[in-house]
Amino acid sequence: MFNLILFGPPGSGKGTQSEKLIDKYGLLHLSTGDLLRKEIANQTKLGLEAKSFMDKGQLVPDAVVIGMINSALEANPAAKGFLFDGFPRTVAQAEALDNLLASKNSGISIVLALEVDQEELVKRIQIRGQSSGRSDDSDPNVIRARLVEYENKTAPVAGHYAGVGKVVYVKGVGTIDEIFQSLCRQIDSRK
Ligand code: B4P
């Protein structure tokens, strides 16, 4: 199994690049952001709980997203590999993911970390906010809160995987295709 984590701050291009990578490598895309937005659209209990955090730019509690990922892994036993997008976002989530994969005799193959400066991130999120209908993309205070959550809780996840030599940093500024080619080079050199 080839399991890839696409890592980076909000707006770094994870969703954009994931779409291209799953096509090329036949991986199953697991985006916790997309899964949570689906729950919100369906007005489930989980969705209503998640919305109260997402609207403030805060991370949803670990137990909620770990449960969602567990269900998705269970539902796809024949997958040849997963692309995790927006997960894990805390060290506790990373540890839970490592345990879930280990129970399936698998593990993380590589963590590709997109590097984008903060000014560019804010610009991209605001542009997306004009058409996405996502309330967390429109309010400058919420965007700032998401970036603070990233620095405090998510950035340490890179350290968790760097400790086992799994992290590769990739420049996330440039055209979408240039960045895609850089990501593919890293994957191809490790497959
Ligand atoms: P996500 O859905 O993961 O939101 P995101 O981080 O903003 O998405 P992404 O980073 O994929 O955006 P992309 O770069 O593709 O999470 C939303 C919320 O859900 C979180 O704030 C949190 O509350 C909750 N959540 C999700 N997962 C969670 C977890 N594991 N634990 C707890 N809470 C969780 O796109 C950005 C924009 O840039 C796009 O418009 C794109 O067109 C543009 N773009 C991309 N590449 C570009 C390039 N090269 N040049 C110019 N623009 C580019």
Side-chain angles (χ1 to χ4, degrees):
M1 248 182 150
F2 187 82
N3 296 314
L4 158 66
I5 294 175
L6 196 53
F7 187 77
S12 56
K14 301 185 297 287
T16 308
Q17 296 296 335
S18 290
E19 295 300 332
K20 296 170 75 69
L21 291 168
I22 54 164
D23 261 8
K24 176 160 176 169
Y25 294 102
L27 301 172
L28 208 127
H29 186 193
L30 290 184
S31 157
T32 39
D34 288 351
L35 291 171
L36 290 167
R37 281 185 287 277
K38 231 172 261 163
E39 297 282 345
I40 293 172
N42 292 333
Q43 300 191 326
T44 64
K45 188 166 168 276
L46 190 157
L48 291 176
E49 188 197 349
K51 188 173 184 329
S52 65
F53 293 94
M54 291 165 77
D55 281 351
K56 289 185 271 201
Q58 294 171 355
L59 292 182
V60 173
D62 286 340
V64 174
V65 281
I66 292 167
M68 279 190 338
I69 289 289
N70 189 20
S71 307
L73 292 178
E74 292 293 323
N76 293 284
K80 69 177 212 184
F82 293 94
L83 188 164
F84 297 96
D85 161 7
F87 180 89
R89 260 178 154 98
T90 63
V91 172
Q93 290 180 21
E95 288 167 352
L97 178 61
D98 292 346
N99 290 334
L100 286 173
L101 292 175
S103 73
K104 297 176 194 327
N105 295 319
S106 188
I108 292 301
S109 312
I110 187 170
V111 179
L112 293 172
L114 290 167
E115 292 187 297
V116 179
D117 60 88
Q118 208 163 103
E119 200 182 324
E120 172 75 11
L121 295 173
V122 173
K123 199 170 79 190
R124 287 185 191 177
I125 294 171
Q126 281 176 330
I127 292 172
R128 182 172 62 184
Q130 291 163 10
S131 58
S132 69
R134 278 176 56 172
S135 54
D136 62 342
D137 282 348
S138 313
D139 182 336
N141 291 325
V142 175
I143 296 173
R144 246 189 315 274
R146 286 164 66 191
L147 294 171
V148 171
E149 283 278 84
Y150 175 81
E151 282 309 323
N152 291 340
K153 298 180 182 166
T154 306
V157 172
H160 173 84
Y161 288 107
V164 286
K166 296 276 165 79
V167 181
V168 179
Y169 290 91
V170 173
K171 186 176 153 213
V173 180
T175 68
I176 288 170
D177 207 50
E178 280 165 357
I179 299 162
F180 178 60
Q181 297 306 332
S182 305
L183 294 169
C184 292
R185 271 195 297 279
Q186 294 300 335
I187 295 171
D188 294 341
S189 69
R190 277 165 183 80
K191 273 197 100 173

